[in-house]
Structure formats: C-alpha cells, structure tokens
Amino acid sequence: MRASILVLAGDGIGPEVTAEGTRVLRAVGMVFGHDFILRDALLGGCAIDQYGTALPPETLAAARGSDAILLGAVGGPKWDDPSAEVRPEQGLLGIRRELGLYANLRPVTIHPRLVGASPLRPEVLAGVDLLVVRELIGGIYFGEKKREPERASDLCVYTGDEIRRVVRRAAELARKRRKKLTSVDKANVLESSRLWRRITEHVVRQEYPDLQLEHVLVDACAMYLARRPSSFDVIVTENMFGDILTDEASVLAGSMGLLPSASLGDGPRGLYEPIHGSAPDIAGRGIANPYATILSVAMLLRHSLGLEKEALAVETAVATAIDRGVLTADVAAPGQGVSTAQAGQMVVDILKERGKA
C-alpha cells in the first residue's frame, strides 16, 4: 500500500513522541511492504510563533490531501495567556471541525504488568476493556462565547443530526464488542442532555435493538469509572463530558502516556493522537512515554488504512515491550525508567523480529 500521512508534532513533548510514532510507521512499512509518505506541518503554539495562527491554511490543505494525520500535542505556558485572541487549542479544535471529525474513539485496557501503576485496587481493574466514543465538534467547546469584565458565557448547542451520527458510530462499534452501550448525559439538569437522551433512545431502539442500552448521568459515570469500570463496554457522550471522563479513565491504565485516540468522520481519513497534553514540565528531557502515540499509529493503520494485521502487530509489539519491562518513568519503578527513544526502539526491534520470523 502507498499512503500519505501528515505528521503534526505540535508543542512540548509532541515532537518527541511523534518521532517514535514515525519510526514505528517506517518499520511497519519495511516489514509489511508498504510505502508510507510522511510529511510535516505546524499546528498549535509552534504555528502561532511562525504564522500568527494556530491552524495555518497550509496545514489544513496538507491535512485534506493526506490519507491520515498523526498529531503529538499542542499548547504550553508560552501561550497560556487567557486574554490572548489566538491560542494553540484553536488549531486543534479547528482542524477537527474543518475535517468533520465528529467521533473521538478512546479505548482503555489494562496491561497486567501495569496494574500496580494505577491507584485503584487490582480487583477493581480486573476485566476492564472499555471504549469511549466522544462527540468532538459540537457542544460547549464550539458554542457562542461571550466575555465581559464581570460576566462570561459559553453556549452548549447540539442538533439532532449531530447526536444521531455519533450514537450510530458508537452503536456500530458496540455491535462488534459486547453489545452494551452506555449513554452519558446530564438530563436531570440540561436541555441539551434531554435532547441527547431522547434521540439516543430512539436511534438505538429503532436501529440497534440487539444492543443493551443504559443511560447514566455524568457525575454517576465518574463515580462508576472508579468503582466498577469493568461494567462498561462502549460509552457514548458529548464533547466536554467525554473530555473529562477519558482523562479520569487514564488513571485505570496507570498513565495518560498509555492511551491512544482516533478522531473520525464519515470517510476513512482520521486524526490520531495520544490523549495526553504537551507536558511542558518534561519536554526536552527525553522521558515522555511514547506508547500512547505508537498505539495511535495502530489505530491509524486500522481505521484509515484498513491494515488490521499491521495494527495488531503494533499493538502486540507495545504489549511485548511492556512485558519485557521497557517502561518510561511515568509507569516504571523510581529511578528505573527508560528514555522515550529506548521505548520506541524496542517496539521497532520487536516488529523487525516479527519480520524475520
């Protein structure tokens, strides 16, 4: 296969982890006989510094001309002024909206060797295998915003069509798993959530009657993720709730550095990124965990390029590296963490071992 992949390294640790992601992509190409054409562009704070905008037109054009996009992270203290008109996060929100990437998939599983890295008891973590499908280009993040000296507002708006398409995507995924769908809202308070619940109920009952559907309020869901996370299969929810809940869910796996994500629309093109931020406190130190980015590469291979065998090979290579104790500081014993590059190299070496087998 020949495919064009745009790499948006971004800010902070973004360049460090995407460097390992691209190394893995090249290794996959070599082992399986694919030609991946990798191009770079700017997004976020680095784009503001060079172009004065977080999403330059050149970057958006390159994204539209690519088969998939691999993203590192955006933001950092340099651009944190709340009063600034241009902020790195605008680039991230903008590219998601411009490409129509309305469904964000965030899987959460627990590697047996890393159970001790989570603050939760091992028995609570037993059997955890969940997928959060977060609506990505609607809701309060994209609603009308107003700010005055003593008053501010952010409008949360959802339409029926926006809800239907993300619920259908989540339902299709649930059908391929354990056939349980949990819709998370705040319908006891918010009108947008009442609409969300009504439409979700109708879509699932009419189109996916084989699924078990439950509705859970967002505050209760936050509690259940800590008390009984294995009870969830696929969770579908709106933009802000999904953002918060998946950060909480990262605690189950032991570190944000382990969790990938895929942002998808109606076509095969997607944007793939670790769920963590730019981590400016460790940027440049070579200790960031690249596994979330590498697992995002696996999702890229699966969802945008249709390369299931290659995706499984990458996921297996990461699991094998963890089994071998190749762990960065966020999940390793004190003083025993390997470097970002060493972790990435181990995944590459395991892939090449497979190629020689």
Side-chain angles (χ1 to χ4, degrees):
M1 167 180 279
R2 184 179 176 89
S4 174
I5 300 168
L6 181 65
V7 180
L8 305 174
D11 311 312
I13 62 171
E16 300 170 55
V17 294
T18 53
E20 303 312 313
T22 56
R23 287 173 70 188
V24 169
L25 274 168
R26 292 189 181 96
V28 170
M30 182 186 70
V31 171
F32 292 92
H34 301 300
D35 183 13
F36 297 140
I37 302 166
L38 304 177
R39 295 181 293 165
D40 298 303
L42 299 181
L43 182 83
C46 58
I48 293 172
D49 289 347
Q50 183 158 332
Y51 295 104
T53 177
L55 177 57
E58 298 89 342
T59 298
L60 184 56
R64 286 178 168 147
S66 300
D67 296 301
I69 303 107
L70 179 65
L71 171 67
V74 300
K78 182 178 181 180
W79 309 279
D80 268 354
D81 181 1
S83 64
E85 294 186 3
V86 181
R87 295 174 57 84
E89 294 77 14
Q90 293 169 348
L92 184 57
L93 296 177
I95 196 169
R96 290 169 174 170
R97 179 170 52 192
E98 290 295 329
L99 297 180
L101 306 176
Y102 60 82
N104 181 239
L105 281 55
R106 296 187 171 188
V108 181
T109 57
I110 314 298
H111 190 285
R113 186 185 178 101
L114 299 179
V115 169
S118 172
L120 299 183
R121 299 191 308 273
E123 59 268 28
V124 174
L125 299 174
V128 170
D129 178 12
L130 64 91
L131 173 66
V132 179
V133 180
R134 166 191 170 195
E135 199 290 322
L136 202 58
I137 55 175
I140 199 168
Y141 290 174
F142 289 89
E144 180 183 352
K145 303 178 185 307
K146 295 181 180 179
R147 187 176 66 208
E148 301 170 5
E150 296 294 327
R151 181 181 176 86
S153 64
D154 297 273
L155 186 62
C156 181
V157 177
Y158 270 108
T159 67
D161 286 343
E162 288 173 328
I163 299 168
R164 289 184 190 95
R165 65 186 182 184
V166 74
V167 169
R168 286 179 177 131
R169 176 62 66 94
E172 292 291 341
L173 292 164
R175 267 185 170 169
K176 298 174 183 178
R177 292 169 52 96
R178 302 192 302 278
K179 295 191 175 184
K180 180 180 180 181
L181 183 64
T182 301
S183 177
V184 175
D185 58 40
K186 191 64 176 170
N188 60 334
V189 175
L190 302 177
E191 289 297 336
S192 57
S193 281
R194 292 177 184 125
L195 177 67
W196 182 284
R197 182 173 293 203
R198 178 174 64 81
I199 288 179
T200 298
E201 182 78 23
H202 184 267
V203 167
V204 175
R205 297 305 180 205
Q206 293 296 316
E207 302 177 31
Y208 304 92
D210 53 317
L211 298 185
Q212 176 188 350
L213 173 66
E214 66 173 352
H215 300 283
V216 177
L217 296 177
V218 63
D219 40 355
C221 183
M223 179 178 64
Y224 297 153
L225 279 171
R227 294 184 60 181
R228 52 173 180 86
S230 63
S231 69
F232 293 111
D233 180 17
V234 175
I235 296 173
V236 63
T237 189
E238 61 103 79
N239 204 341
M240 185 172 69
F241 295 163
D243 191 6
I244 296 168
L245 290 175
T246 50
D247 280 6
E248 180 193 6
S250 70
V251 176
L252 304 176
S255 170
M256 275 190 174
L258 297 166
L259 298 188
S261 76
S263 299
L264 307 174
D266 288 328
R269 184 193 300 116
L271 184 149
Y272 302 86
E273 60 181 308
I275 76 162
H276 61 67
S278 61
D281 56 321
I282 62 169
R285 296 171 56 189
I287 61 172
N289 191 334
Y291 289 150
T293 300
I294 295 171
L295 291 170
S296 296
V297 166
M299 297 185 81
L300 181 157
L301 294 168
R302 174 176 293 117
H303 293 288
S304 283
L305 304 186
L307 300 175
E308 179 64 24
K309 179 174 65 175
E310 291 82 342
L312 285 172
V314 172
E315 291 166 345
T316 300
V318 171
T320 302
I322 294 173
D323 279 334
R324 294 180 182 179
V326 182
L327 307 174
T328 47
D330 54 326
V331 288
Q336 296 184 16
V338 303
S339 71
T340 306
Q342 287 172 323
Q345 186 61 52
M346 178 55 69
V347 174
V348 168
D349 290 344
I350 294 168
L351 286 168
K352 290 180 178 178
E353 288 171 11
R354 173 194 172 104
K356 295 176 181 177

